[in-house]
Amino acid sequence: VIGDTPDTRQERIGLLPNQEYYGEKPKLQQFIIQTFRDEGRMVQSFERGELNAMAGLSTLSDDLKNNDAHEHNIPITGESMVFFRTSHEILNDVKVRQALVHAVNVPELVRGIGYPAIISNSPLLDNMIGYDKTLTQLPYNVAQANSLLDQAGWIKGTDGIRAKGGKNLTFRLVAQNTSENVYTSGKVQKYWRDVGVDAQVSLPNDTDIQGIVNRHDYDALLYGISLGNDPDVFPYWHSSQADPRSSSRLNLSEYKSPPADKSLEAGRTRSDPALRAVKYRPFLEAWRNDAPAIALYQPRFVYVTRGVLYNFEPTVINSATDRYANVTNWMIRQTKTIK
């Protein structure tokens, strides 16, 4: 441990090859993992040549790209979504939620992120058991969004914002303050503004966001969730996980649907893939029709290396630590030998 204050504190862990390991001997002679309290100090250390690689960045600056930095964009088995807190006085109306989904042009939004993200359109990833391309979220349709809001009694005023009973159609959209979320929340805000919805964007820092998420202190939430490879999304959508007494409260939409509950319970107790897929259909149908959230894209993990990191070949990972899966094969340089 180095650093005299909490802000400058850094922790280092040195690793050496295990000579008793049954498998192939690592090609790296040592591996040092170092932590930083903030992104700026980590980047400065990388620029001084003190690091061979770094993780934790959301984007790579032009200065780093010109400094022999190689950017690895690895899709994560998760989803960035906008969750609607369905207990909210405005968002508890299914027609309003459906309109909000219809209003967002997801493909256009994803194209502007700045890296080749994989579009999402369901609570399940498209490679998961149970995913059904015929049961995806409501499509982009501005005319339908406007029609639904009209049906729900929200009428556009001269300022373009809808109102009902003297109250504007406005609520708060919360997202962690990252460059990616600034862009995404801004685009979503504009799409909604075009149909008469006034979304107020709030961007708390990474220290505050977890408490906000845990307390469900938001109206709508732009947030990334981890799914893994199994289609068991019970923690995110079962009504029991919206209960304040739940240990996790990962049902961020506070979504409650008896058909969805029954489907999620049945799907997680079956082992046969074909049967699981059948059991999840009622959940997918309910999720599409009830519109508790908008699926946007699979987030990425950014790994930055100095120069080429040979044999680093991840394609999709479940978590950041999965990048070490083939660490025994990593090499930072190659030397030709003449025999």
Side-chain angles (χ1 to χ4, degrees):
V1 178
I2 60 174
D4 300 325
T5 67
D7 288 339
T8 61
R9 180 184 174 90
Q10 297 177 18
E11 297 173 345
R12 293 178 179 175
I13 301 174
L15 304 174
L16 296 173
N18 180 0
Q19 301 301 327
E20 305 300 322
Y21 182 60
Y22 73 92
E24 183 181 357
K25 183 178 179 180
K27 295 177 174 60
L28 296 176
Q29 296 178 339
Q30 64 178 358
F31 200 104
I32 300 174
I33 299 174
Q34 183 169 331
T35 66
F36 293 85
R37 290 295 176 179
D38 65 75
E39 182 178 298
R41 286 191 173 89
M42 178 177 68
V43 171
Q44 290 172 5
S45 184
F46 183 88
E47 291 175 334
R48 290 194 297 265
E50 298 168 355
L51 303 175
N52 294 106
M54 57 182 173
L57 298 178
S58 57
T59 57
L60 194 63
S61 69
D62 290 337
D63 289 342
L64 283 174
K65 291 178 181 177
N66 296 328
N67 194 24
D68 197 29
H70 286 233
E71 180 181 10
H72 304 269
N73 294 304
I74 312 165
I76 296 176
T77 53
E79 287 186 285
S80 286
M81 310 181 83
V82 176
F83 297 89
F84 303 126
R85 185 166 61 83
T86 56
S87 61
H88 184 267
E89 58 181 339
I90 292 176
L91 298 174
N92 65 2
D93 187 334
V94 66
K95 287 186 177 179
V96 172
R97 297 197 306 271
Q98 289 174 343
L100 294 173
V101 175
H102 276 305
V104 175
N105 187 339
V106 175
E108 181 186 75
L109 182 153
V110 172
R111 283 196 298 270
I113 286 178
Y115 63 89
I118 300 173
I119 293 174
S120 295
N121 58 11
S122 164
L124 302 179
L125 300 180
D126 61 9
N127 61 347
M128 284 182 166
I129 296 170
Y131 174 84
D132 189 331
K133 64 181 180 181
T134 68
L135 290 175
T136 56
Q137 73 185 4
L138 300 172
Y140 174 58
N141 188 327
V142 173
Q144 184 65 9
N146 281 309
S147 176
L148 285 165
L149 292 173
D150 289 340
Q151 294 172 38
W154 294 98
I155 308 304
K156 274 189 179 181
T158 56
D159 60 354
I161 300 300
R162 293 177 180 270
K164 180 169 66 173
K167 187 172 183 178
N168 284 349
L169 179 48
T170 182
F171 55 86
R172 189 167 57 108
L173 171 62
V174 176
Q176 183 179 343
N177 190 3
T178 67
S179 58
E180 189 168 305
N181 282 346
V182 169
Y183 162 78
T184 302
S185 60
K187 289 290 287 185
V188 170
Q189 181 186 44
K190 180 184 182 302
Y191 291 136
W192 289 344
R193 180 63 176 77
D194 289 344
V195 296
V197 178
D198 179 28
Q200 301 292 319
V201 174
S202 175
L203 297 165
N205 59 37
D206 56 356
T207 302
D208 297 331
I209 189 66
Q210 200 55 56
I212 291 171
V213 172
N214 291 340
R215 296 190 303 271
H216 290 199
D217 185 17
Y218 49 81
D219 304 330
L221 175 70
L222 170 61
Y223 197 67
I225 59 173
S226 176
L227 298 179
N229 293 316
D230 189 270
D232 183 11
V233 291
F234 180 101
Y236 298 115
W237 305 110
H238 194 276
S239 62
S240 65
Q241 304 306 297
D243 193 314
R245 295 167 295 180
S246 171
S247 59
S248 65
R249 291 198 78 192
L250 288 178
N251 185 338
L252 301 176
S253 295
E254 299 180 357
Y255 178 50
K256 297 178 181 179
S257 163
D261 281 356
K262 185 176 180 181
S263 175
L264 289 167
E265 292 163 6
R268 70 181 341 206
T269 59
R270 302 312 198 270
S271 58
D272 178 71
L275 182 57
R276 291 188 79 185
V278 171
K279 295 297 182 182
Y280 280 130
R281 282 187 61 86
F283 162 64
L284 295 176
E285 291 173 350
W287 191 90
R288 173 188 170 94
N289 296 329
D290 294 335
I294 306 176
L296 298 177
Y297 59 91
Q298 284 184 237
R300 64 166 179 174
F301 175 76
V302 181
Y303 196 48
V304 181
T305 62
R306 182 180 305 285
V308 178
L309 177 59
Y310 298 98
N311 299 328
F312 179 69
E313 302 169 346
T315 53
V316 178
I317 58 177
N318 292 324
S319 66
T321 55
D322 285 348
R323 69 184 184 276
Y324 297 123
N326 71 333
V327 70
T328 55
N329 295 325
W330 291 9
M331 296 186 294
I332 58 175
R333 59 180 177 270
Q334 293 178 325
T335 303
K336 293 183 179 180
T337 59
I338 300 177
K339 297 183 178 179

